[in-house]
């Protein structure tokens, strides 16, 4: 195994990362995501990579694919895949600005997962500056829609994964420095309720409220949560005029299970809710599915053992876990491409206004990625 002695510096990395954090990029704002991708494309080009901006679709922003110069460029190698969208609306920066407090750096999307993406590029940048060459060609793929299940980019991610030997995903590190070697299955659904409108002041009894029925259904759906399959509802919307009895309401549902069979059973329960009740028509549509990435697959564990050995050279323990919460490694892992996830920076508060990374973890995790780039071979 090769662990090159490269001059990684946390202060310099944070300075380079700061413009990424201060470019807010919520999934549902494709223009904002496009601005983020322009920053990413520039940094990849400055690295010396061949950069493609891949147009967005399905209302999402574009993707960036960057291929590092290599004699075998175009042949199967290492794919680093990460997302640049966040769950934080534009304006969150005012409440959680980029800042350094002690050994923590804060900002929207800093842990999930802009810091991980940045250190992957930094690892390659220092490799190239040192005049070193990786055994395999390395491709970076940065996507705009992971936070909503990657509906627009799944086919792209799967195609790139199948074209390479290894799939590395710098999602946030787990507690105790753990990486991910398996992920649960996930499904998303859109549920809608259609009632009968009326004037809420003059004829409130003449209407049938879709909102009221949807509220009952949400309680019913979340009550289906068990140890084997969970359900959570959000993104609840309806009309804006309170003087109208609402005739339409909708929400999204997220379901997660450790086993694919449990998720399939949960899907059957969801679809069985469709129909008319209390004068309100209810529909259920499956929108996005992430397949289970079974923990302990031989090809994944062989890759993990390499990473664990490199981490030991740094003096860093590297446990592994199977995790809830999806990532794009669900796709590569389900395809049996050797995959390792959660290679990014340690921290806490992801998806909250306390999102931060632990600065002492930056250099060791960057060095680990550099070691993987310099060790993985055909």
């Amino acid at each position: 195994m090769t662990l090159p002695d490269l001059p990684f510096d946390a202060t310099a990395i944070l300075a380079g990362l700061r413009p990424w954090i201060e470019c807010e990029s919520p999934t549902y704002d494709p223009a904002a995501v496009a601005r983020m991708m322009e920053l990413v494309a520039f940094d990849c080009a400055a690295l010396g990579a061949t950069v493609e901006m891949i147009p967005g679709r399905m209302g999402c922003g574009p993707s960036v694919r960057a291929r590092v110069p290599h004699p075998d460029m175009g042949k199967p190698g290492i794919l680093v895949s990460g997302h640049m969208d966040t769950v934080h609306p534009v304006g969150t920066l005012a409440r959680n600005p980029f800042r350094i407090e002690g050994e923590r750096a804060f900002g929207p999307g800093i842990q999930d997962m802009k810091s991980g993406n940045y250190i992957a590029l930094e690892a390659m940048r220092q490799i190239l500056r040192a005049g070193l060459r990786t055994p395999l060609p390395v491709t970076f793929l940065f996507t705009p829609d992971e936070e909503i299940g990657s509906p627009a980019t799944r086919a792209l991610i799967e195609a790139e994964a199948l074209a390479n030997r290894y799939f590395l995903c710098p999602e946030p590190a787990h507690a105790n420095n753990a990486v991910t070697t398996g992920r649960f299955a996930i499904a998303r659904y859109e549920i809608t309720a259609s009632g009968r409108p009326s004037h809420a002041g003059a004829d409130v009894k003449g209407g049938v409220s879709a909102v009221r029925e949807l509220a009952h259904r949400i309680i019913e759906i979340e009550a289906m949560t068990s140890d084997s399959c969970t359900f959570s509802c959000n993104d609840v919307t309806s009309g804006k005029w309170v003087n109208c009895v609402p005739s339409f309401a909708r929400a999204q549902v997220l379901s997660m299970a450790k086993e694919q069979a449990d998720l399939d059973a949960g899907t059957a329960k969801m679809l069985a809710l469709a129909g008319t009740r209390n004068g309100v028509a209810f529909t259920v549509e499956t929108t996005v599915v992430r397949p289970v990435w079974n923990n302990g697959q031989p090809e994944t564990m062989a890759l993990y053992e390499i990473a664990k050995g490199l981490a030991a050279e740094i003096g860093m323990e590297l446990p592994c876990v199977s995790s809830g919460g999806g990532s794009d490694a669900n796709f590569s892992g389900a395809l049996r491409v050797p995959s390792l996830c959660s290679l990014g920076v340690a921290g806490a508060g992801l998806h909250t206004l306390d999102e931060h990374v632990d600065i002492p973890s930056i250099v060791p995790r960057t060095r680990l990625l550099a070691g993987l780039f310099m060790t993985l071979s055909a």
Side-chain angles (χ1 to χ4, degrees):
M1 291 184 286
T2 304
L3 191 63
D5 184 16
L6 298 171
F8 296 119
D9 179 78
T11 300
I13 289 171
L14 286 169
L17 175 62
R18 180 171 185 166
W20 285 22
I21 305 307
E22 293 183 339
C23 184
E24 297 176 281
S25 52
T27 318
Y28 290 115
D29 189 337
V33 174
R35 290 191 293 271
M36 180 69 229
M37 291 301 185
E38 288 177 355
L39 288 179
V40 173
F42 182 90
D43 284 350
C44 290
L47 186 77
T50 300
V51 180
E52 302 169 75
M53 187 76 78
I54 302 170
R57 66 189 189 107
M58 299 172 64
C60 296
S63 300
V64 168
R65 178 168 52 203
R67 303 190 190 278
V68 179
H70 193 279
D72 295 327
M73 190 164 66
K75 295 182 180 179
I78 300 169
L79 177 65
V80 180
S81 183
H83 66 90
M84 290 293 178
D85 61 315
T86 79
V87 300
H88 305 286
V90 170
T92 303
L93 198 64
R95 302 176 67 190
N96 185 22
F98 178 87
R99 65 198 186 279
I100 295 172
E101 296 179 357
E103 294 189 333
R104 294 177 174 179
F106 291 78
I110 194 169
Q111 189 194 18
D112 188 16
M113 59 176 292
K114 292 182 180 181
S115 61
N117 292 334
Y118 190 87
I119 66 167
L121 283 182
E122 177 66 13
M124 183 55 62
R125 181 182 295 111
Q126 294 299 337
I127 287 171
L128 295 175
R129 284 181 179 176
L132 302 174
R133 177 182 294 167
T134 58
L136 293 175
V138 177
T139 299
F140 293 89
L141 179 65
F142 299 117
T143 56
D145 61 338
E146 190 274 346
E147 295 292 3
I148 59 170
S150 306
T153 59
R154 176 176 179 173
L156 176 64
I157 294 163
E158 290 180 333
E160 286 292 333
L162 289 170
N164 284 279
R165 295 184 183 276
Y166 300 99
F167 187 101
L168 305 181
C169 188
E171 287 272 8
H174 290 290
N176 302 317
N177 208 45
V179 294
T180 302
T181 51
R183 284 192 181 271
F184 302 171
I186 296 175
R188 295 178 184 233
Y189 314 90
E190 182 161 306
I191 57 177
T192 62
S194 299
R196 185 172 67 246
S198 69
H199 192 293
D203 186 23
V204 67
K205 292 184 178 180
V208 179
S209 172
V211 167
R212 183 179 59 215
E213 183 61 27
L214 182 65
H216 287 298
R217 296 289 188 135
I218 287 173
I219 293 170
E220 182 179 345
I221 289 167
E222 294 202 346
M224 295 193 309
T225 291
S226 66
D227 291 339
S228 60
C229 190
T230 64
F231 297 87
S232 178
C233 302
N234 203 346
D235 189 24
V236 182
T237 57
S238 183
K240 295 183 178 180
W241 285 270
V242 73
N243 57 344
C244 299
V245 172
S247 61
F248 177 81
R250 60 167 292 281
Q252 290 193 70
V253 182
L254 179 74
S255 181
M256 186 177 303
K258 294 181 181 180
E259 304 292 338
Q260 190 67 47
D262 293 327
L263 188 74
D264 293 342
T267 296
K269 290 180 181 179
M270 283 295 303
L271 295 177
L273 294 174
T276 299
R277 187 173 73 184
N278 299 325
V280 176
F282 193 72
T283 66
V284 181
E285 178 187 2
T286 303
T287 57
V288 177
V289 175
R290 287 192 188 275
V292 67
W293 171 22
N294 289 314
N295 193 39
Q297 293 175 175
E299 63 276 6
T300 288
M301 299 314 293
L303 174 56
Y304 164 68
E305 289 298 328
I306 293 172
K308 184 179 178 181
L310 289 165
E313 292 186 40
I314 304 171
M316 178 172 69
E317 292 187 5
L318 196 74
C320 65
V321 297
S322 179
S323 174
S327 85
D328 289 334
N330 279 75
F331 303 136
S332 61
L335 292 170
R336 303 303 295 261
V337 176
S339 303
L340 202 56
C341 192
S342 305
L343 286 164
V345 181
L350 70 164
H351 292 196
T352 76
L353 293 174
D354 188 49
E355 184 168 350
H356 64 269
V357 295
D358 297 330
I359 295 173
S361 74
I362 290 175
V363 168
R365 302 293 285 201
T366 310
R367 199 172 298 283
L368 175 61
L369 281 161
L372 286 168
F373 293 156
M374 291 300 299
T375 298
L376 297 178
S377 59

